Amino acid sequence: MTTTRSRTAPRVYTLQVLGHARPAVALGARPITVGAHSSCDLVLEDPQVSRKHAEISIVTDGIRIKDLGSTNGTWWQGSKVGDVVVPAGATVKFGETPVRISAADAPSLPPSDSDHFGAMAGKSVAMRELFAVLEMAGPSEATVLIEGESGTGKELCARAIHDASSRSKGPFVVVDCSAIAENLVDSHLFGHVKGAFTGADRERKGAFVEATGGTLFLDELGELPLAAQAKLLRVLEAQTVQPLGADRPISVDTRVVAATHRDLARMVAVKEFRFDLFYRLAVVHVALPPLRERLEDLPHLIETFYRRRGTDPGPITGDNLEGMRRHAWPGNVRELRNALERAWAMSGPNASFAALRLWLEPGVATQGSSEVVDTSLPFKDAKERWNDQFERRYVAMVFAHQGNNVTRAAEHAGLSRRHFRELLYKHAIVERPPVDDD
């Protein structure tokens, strides 16, 4: 059976000192320091290595090596470097000590055979890869960190994880961290006793106690203040909370699933989010793909929304589907659902898909101008990312327009059948067939 490398695992690398049998050092979301001083993450016993020699961190394009003003320099490919990005597999020399930086193995799972997980739906490889991870994680007690844009279904994902677990009969408590005033975070999460502070005229259990025996879903976790992050970490480790004003802690039995639309790994790198809390939460780390990256799921999603209403969509083709495929979907699946609700209200609850009076927000059709250019990247990298997005979208749309027929799609695109098929594999629009090992 062929397996597809999960795209949801956090990036992790290892640093191995060559010529020594010492254990490798892990490089994750938090930058690490290299040097001779005992406070460094990677301590090198080399007289040519400075006390604080260099800093290593993960960036979009690889691994950043920043020399910290060392006496004898940092070297890569025979050249002295001050600040450079190197690829996985590179060997960098600090003083006279060579260190190889390797990508750690990411977990590998075959895509799920199912086209849904809980209320989440999708037939694309990207979604079935996600379902495969969630099918394994759901029944476990592992904490889960969900990343995804607004409207991709983070709460649906958390609810599905809860329903797939042994805690499904217990409470599912939702806390929106972005909606809590900073001075009330402790009370909201951990509770308070009557009289603990001005205005505390009654006892409050707090979300952890309320979710005991079930699941606590912390939405928009990236908005939580640093001070509250430290307290949250202690609760996760000890499974006890101490309400404000209470004399003693209270035991809890709560599984935590957290979600954010922000890049927590990047926040860790700039010290806006605690690295220890990040790793405590990201035992299972999943990323929900935006709808614009899985337009091949549109017919299945439309049919799913119709079936949940108990009605038949009829053929999901024609101008309405073409218009949806040209749309950028900045609001993702939530926007799709709302667009259908609006169309049903204007066309009648039993209208077929082809008969819908469909109206989409103007000015956001995917004609190129709708894409957001990442100006934080150098020109070459930003252009490559733009071209990659165009290539994937073009191939997915042409393939869908031609009824998922490779020959017709290749002819329409003016490409050879083999080239077009390789593009389908490259962008995970279809799954590469198993390789015969015999």
Side-chain angles (χ1 to χ4, degrees):
M1 177 183 292
T2 185
T3 60
T4 305
R5 184 70 62 188
S6 170
R7 286 173 263 181
T8 62
R11 295 169 295 173
V12 178
Y13 298 88
T14 58
L15 280 65
Q16 181 66 59
V17 179
L18 300 184
H20 293 266
R22 60 188 298 176
V25 173
L27 170 65
R30 182 178 68 89
I32 68 172
T33 53
V34 178
H37 195 266
S38 60
S39 64
C40 292
D41 300 285
L42 177 57
V43 179
L44 301 179
E45 297 176 356
D46 177 351
Q48 301 298 313
V49 170
S50 299
R51 288 166 59 84
K52 293 287 181 73
H53 196 102
E55 181 182 81
I56 307 177
S57 59
I58 297 173
V59 294
T60 303
D61 304 321
I63 306 98
R64 182 187 183 194
I65 312 294
K66 182 181 179 183
D67 189 89
L68 299 177
S70 66
T71 302
N72 296 299
T74 300
W75 300 79
W76 179 54
Q77 295 184 338
S79 299
K80 189 175 182 179
V81 296
D83 194 337
V84 66
V85 175
V86 304
T91 297
V92 180
K93 192 163 70 170
F94 304 98
E96 293 297 325
T97 303
V99 175
R100 177 171 293 148
I101 305 172
S102 305
D105 287 337
S108 179
L109 289 173
S112 173
D113 293 329
S114 178
D115 60 11
H116 68 279
F117 182 76
M120 304 171 71
K123 291 185 175 181
S124 62
V125 173
M127 290 302 289
R128 291 190 296 113
E129 283 183 338
L130 173 67
F131 297 160
V133 175
L134 297 178
E135 285 164 359
M136 296 291 289
S140 75
E141 288 291 304
T143 54
V144 181
L145 177 61
I146 305 166
E147 292 187 355
E149 296 177 7
S150 177
T152 49
K154 296 187 289 293
E155 186 169 342
L156 280 181
C157 183
R159 168 66 76 171
I161 291 169
H162 170 74
D163 290 342
S165 73
S166 60
R167 297 171 173 267
S168 58
K169 303 298 184 184
F172 180 75
V173 177
V174 180
V175 173
D176 183 352
C177 298
S178 67
I180 310 172
E182 186 169 347
N183 63 326
L184 295 177
V185 169
D186 288 2
S187 171
H188 205 99
L189 291 179
F190 315 127
H192 65 251
V193 299
K194 182 178 179 181
F197 52 85
T198 303
D201 55 356
R202 66 184 67 183
E203 178 183 295
R204 180 171 193 165
K205 289 183 177 180
F208 268 91
V209 173
E210 290 174 351
T212 291
T215 303
L216 173 59
F217 175 48
L218 297 176
D219 198 9
E220 296 304 344
L221 183 76
E223 312 307 317
L224 206 61
L226 282 167
Q229 292 175 27
K231 295 175 183 177
L232 174 59
L233 178 63
R234 287 197 293 271
V235 172
L236 291 173
E237 295 290 353
Q239 280 290 293
T240 61
V241 297
Q242 183 146 358
L244 295 174
D247 295 329
R248 60 190 61 172
I250 300 172
S251 295
V252 293
D253 175 23
T254 306
R255 183 187 189 180
V256 170
V257 177
T260 181
H261 73 281
R262 304 180 69 179
D263 186 343
L264 289 191
R266 183 171 295 179
M267 291 178 66
V268 169
V270 296
K271 297 181 171 56
E272 292 178 354
F273 197 87
R274 292 181 63 101
F275 78 92
D276 43 8
L277 178 59
F278 174 82
Y279 283 113
R280 182 62 181 81
L281 290 168
V283 174
V284 178
H285 186 187
V286 298
L288 306 188
L291 183 55
R292 64 181 175 275
E293 292 183 3
R294 57 182 187 105
L295 292 175
E296 61 269 36
D297 278 335
L298 276 172
H300 180 60
L301 289 169
I302 293 164
E303 181 179 12
T304 298
F305 285 126
Y306 262 92
R307 298 299 182 196
R308 288 175 184 171
R309 289 174 57 89
T311 55
D312 183 0
I316 304 177
T317 57
D319 291 342
N320 277 343
L321 185 59
E322 294 302 312
M324 284 185 163
R325 283 176 172 150
R326 291 193 299 269
H327 193 65
W329 299 110
N332 292 296
V333 179
R334 181 190 294 130
E335 183 186 357
L336 172 62
R337 183 196 63 203
N338 291 345
L340 290 172
E341 293 281 358
R342 183 167 57 237
W344 287 323
M346 299 297 293
S347 313
N350 298 316
S352 67
F353 177 73
L356 286 181
R357 295 183 177 91
L358 188 66
W359 184 81
L360 302 173
E361 291 289 340
V364 287
T366 57
Q367 300 297 329
S369 60
S370 62
E371 293 287 358
V372 176
V373 178
D374 189 349
T375 55
S376 68
L377 297 175
F379 172 81
K380 180 176 179 293
D381 297 335
K383 182 179 179 181
E384 287 178 357
R385 179 171 294 185
W386 180 286
N387 288 341
D388 190 67
Q389 291 172 350
F390 161 77
E391 184 178 271
R392 184 189 191 284
R393 177 167 296 165
Y394 178 86
V395 170
M397 292 176 67
V398 168
F399 186 54
H401 290 178
Q402 299 300 326
N404 294 347
N405 184 292
V406 175
T407 300
R408 291 202 303 267
E411 290 175 354
H412 176 89
L415 301 172
S416 70
R417 190 173 185 275
R418 179 178 179 180
H419 186 190
F420 194 88
R421 187 171 56 245
E422 285 300 318
L423 290 174
L424 292 173
Y425 297 154
K426 172 185 174 183
H427 295 288
I429 297 166
V430 300
E431 185 178 346
R432 189 180 292 273
V435 176
D436 189 354
D437 295 329
D438 296 336

